[in-house]
């Protein structure tokens, strides 16, 4: 059946954002040619939310300790918005070097098991 997911992040400065995922987030990666990096991600989950249009999708990174992540990013001069308690989790946003906005949150909701 499904063996994984592939997320696409569009960027006005892909080289800078690839370096961010590689050097700041330290995600494992492979170069599939010409500096085009594909990053490995930890286990993931998908949620379906109601919407008026079906043309928008979002990417959030998840963590176990949002304050530790924010502090670690601050050490690398990556600013995060103030952490917001959303009930379902603690959420912040950071701005990627290419200008995109990326959410990071510490979930409080139950997590599904990963398929084998």
């Amino acid at each position: 059946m499904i063996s994984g997911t592939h997320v696409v992040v569009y960027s006005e400065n892909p080289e800078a954002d690839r370096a961010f995922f590689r050097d700041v987030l330290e995600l494992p990666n492979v170069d599939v040619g010409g500096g085009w990096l594909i990053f490995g991600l930890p286990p993931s989950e998908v949620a379906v939310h109601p919407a008026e249009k079906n043309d928008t999708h979002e990417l959030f990174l998840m963590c176990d300790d949002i304050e530790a992540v924010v502090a670690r990013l601050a050490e690398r001069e990556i600013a995060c918005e103030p952490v917001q308690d959303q009930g379902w989790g603690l959420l912040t946003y950071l701005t990627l070097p290419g200008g995109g906005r990326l959410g990071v949150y510490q979930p409080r909701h139950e997590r599904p098991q990963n398929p084998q």
Side-chain angles (χ1 to χ4, degrees), residues 17-109:
D17 287 346
R18 289 180 190 133
F20 175 83
F21 279 85
R22 181 191 63 220
D23 301 336
V24 176
L25 298 182
E26 299 177 351
L27 293 176
N29 62 84
V30 294
D31 187 328
V32 296
W36 195 282
L37 302 180
I38 303 291
F39 296 92
L41 292 173
S44 60
E45 58 192 41
V46 175
V48 178
H49 291 240
E52 304 246 341
K53 294 179 77 177
N54 291 328
D55 63 350
T56 302
H57 306 291
E58 296 179 294
L59 167 67
F60 291 89
L61 300 178
M62 296 166 53
C63 64
D64 295 327
D65 183 345
I66 193 78
E67 296 300 336
V69 169
V70 169
R72 183 154 183 242
L73 290 170
E75 290 172 1
R76 296 181 138 248
E77 299 182 5
I78 306 293
C80 294
E81 294 178 12
V83 174
Q84 301 287 322
D85 186 338
Q86 299 293 323
W88 45 260
L90 302 173
L91 172 67
T92 187
Y93 288 91
L94 60 91
T95 301
L96 295 170
R101 194 167 174 239
L102 182 63
V104 180
Y105 84 97
Q106 177 183 328
R108 290 185 174 150
H109 57 78

